[in-house]
Amino acid sequence: MYNTVFLFDTSVTTGNLGDFIIMDAVKKQLRQMFPNSFFVSTSTHDTIGKNSKAIQKKAEYSFIGGTNLLTDRFLGRNHAQWHIGVRDYSVEGSVGIGLGWQSYGRKNRLIDLPLKVAQKEIYKHALSSRFLHSVRDSYTQKRLQDMGIESINTACVTMWELTPDHLNRIPKGKADTVVTTVTEYCQTPEYMKVYERLMTDLIKNYSRVKLWIQSPGDIEIFQKLNLGNSSKVEFIAPNLQSYDDALDDSVDYIGTRLHAGIRALQHGRRTLIIEMDNRAREIAKDTNLPTISYRQIDKVQEFINSDQEMDIRIPFSQISKWKHQFV
């Protein structure tokens, strides 16, 4: 009855508060599934210690939570998103919940082939062959299948409570205040022009503009922007509670951070996510998540000034199928 559930936690040792949004949803779902269990966590962003390995080995279930964790080429134990390598063969049988693929990149040079074989073997050993894994999009499902690892496309775990009733209560019309985000690891001149256009349009169309600092480098991006009225932009402190407090008010969300946008949807806020990489794009293909490419930044004003229905399609039957493996 009081068994142990072990969790590889992507919100430990991270500078990205989006990981906290993911893990908040992961822990909520797992605690609903295992209400009488002990939960023990370790970091994915750091190498796995001896004590963690001993607990994981004895745990009845082991889960690894969310984010763009997976890749097809071994990058080295200390450089991968999940710090695991050939020295961690005692780690086995973990079940993915909302797993995602890191990028579209396929490394097919001759020098990459041994590294691809190594990564495949590491994943096939560390990830469960007994249970189907939950993945966030069809692309991740296909890449895992290519490795011989079976999964179910459940969408991101942060979206599992976006029921039709919840989505129908989201206002369709424009709010007076907008919450926005930028993305620290996207700083090419092309991306910087996108941020300038985004912020300019938000300042023009909303009475108040609030910028949430999801990662330390986000503030540096804002300081580099050439904005005519930057003093109008208010800052939301870099913690999840402050962000939740901002979302408790009547606001829209229009920004580049995927999970900040999904958090806004959780709070019942009209949302548009600017796709900066493959994550939002792939989830949107499967679920109709409200997104546009950063190359379509000129469409933001159209979104702002027209009624918008959050017509998101969550695969509840797939989620149920994944959960019932553990009943």
Side-chain angles (χ1 to χ4, degrees), residues 258-318:
L258 168 62
H259 289 101
I262 295 176
R263 190 71 165 191
L265 288 167
Q266 291 174 355
H267 280 256
R269 302 302 163 207
R270 198 175 74 137
T271 292
L272 179 65
I273 298 164
I274 316 300
E275 302 167 0
M276 304 299 276
D277 55 30
N278 67 305
R279 291 173 297 166
R281 184 178 309 120
E282 293 301 328
I283 293 173
K285 285 179 183 178
D286 294 333
T287 66
N288 203 37
L289 185 72
T291 70
I292 59 169
S293 168
Y294 70 91
R295 294 186 176 94
Q296 301 172 303
I297 195 65
D298 58 312
K299 292 186 176 182
V300 165
Q301 285 208 73
E302 178 184 342
F303 176 90
I304 293 171
N305 294 305
S306 57
D307 284 355
Q308 303 293 335
E309 186 174 351
M310 300 292 103
D311 181 25
I312 303 169
R313 299 183 288 271
I314 308 300
F316 293 110
S317 62
Q318 296 291 79

Side-chain angles (χ1 to χ4, degrees), residues 67-266:
T67 195
N68 54 330
L69 207 69
L70 304 177
T71 182
D72 70 341
R73 182 173 69 107
F74 184 57
L75 303 173
R77 186 170 180 249
N78 295 318
H79 299 285
Q81 287 273 28
W82 185 13
H83 280 37
I84 192 169
V86 294
R87 287 182 287 175
D88 302 306
Y89 256 48
S90 63
V91 176
E92 57 184 349
S94 293
V95 185
I97 173 170
L99 287 177
W101 208 264
Q102 188 171 342
S103 70
Y104 288 124
R106 289 180 181 266
K107 306 295 185 180
N108 292 318
R109 301 171 302 175
L110 189 62
I111 194 174
D112 292 317
L113 294 182
L115 300 175
K116 290 165 72 77
V117 171
Q119 189 71 292
K120 179 179 177 179
E121 290 306 310
I122 289 168
Y123 285 162
K124 290 197 76 171
H125 187 84
L127 296 173
S128 176
S129 58
R130 177 185 171 197
F131 297 106
L132 293 171
H133 301 276
S134 155
V135 296
R136 72 182 181 203
D137 54 58
S138 298
Y139 182 79
T140 302
Q141 186 175 31
K142 175 65 168 61
R143 298 300 296 267
L144 275 181
Q145 191 174 42
D146 291 343
M147 287 185 167
I149 300 170
E150 296 301 316
S151 62
I152 300 176
N153 180 5
T154 62
C156 183
V157 65
T158 55
M159 303 172 71
W160 288 8
E161 295 190 350
L162 299 181
T163 63
D165 285 346
H166 176 88
L167 294 171
N168 286 335
R169 290 194 295 270
I170 295 178
K172 294 178 175 61
K174 171 179 170 289
D176 289 331
T177 301
V178 66
V179 171
T180 189
T181 52
V182 294
T183 305
E184 70 169 359
Y185 54 83
C186 297
Q187 293 197 41
T188 65
E190 184 180 20
Y191 285 133
M192 296 302 287
K193 288 180 181 178
V194 169
Y195 300 135
E196 283 191 6
R197 175 63 185 273
L198 172 63
M199 298 302 298
T200 298
D201 285 348
L202 297 183
I203 290 170
K204 177 181 176 182
N205 286 277
Y206 286 93
S207 300
R208 300 177 70 187
V209 179
K210 298 184 177 183
L211 174 65
W212 185 44
I213 308 303
Q214 185 174 307
S215 292
D218 293 353
I219 189 65
E220 297 172 12
I221 289 179
F222 178 78
Q223 291 170 338
K224 294 175 183 177
L225 299 181
N226 181 25
L227 300 176
N229 194 9
S230 61
S231 60
K232 186 178 177 180
V233 179
E234 307 168 35
F235 297 100
I236 302 171
N239 62 75
L240 194 52
Q241 184 60 60
S242 293
Y243 186 52
D244 284 340
D245 290 344
L247 295 174
D248 283 341
D249 295 331
S250 177
V251 299
D252 289 345
Y253 172 87
I254 303 175
T256 65
R257 293 287 194 169
L258 168 62
H259 289 101
I262 295 176
R263 190 71 165 191
L265 288 167
Q266 291 174 355

Side-chain angles (χ1 to χ4, degrees), residues 20-30 97 157-159 263 266:
F20 287 82
I21 295 173
I22 296 169
M23 291 311 303
D24 183 54
V26 167
K27 291 174 182 177
K28 183 176 183 179
Q29 293 294 329
L30 291 179
I97 173 170
V157 65
T158 55
M159 303 172 71
R263 190 71 165 191
Q266 291 174 355

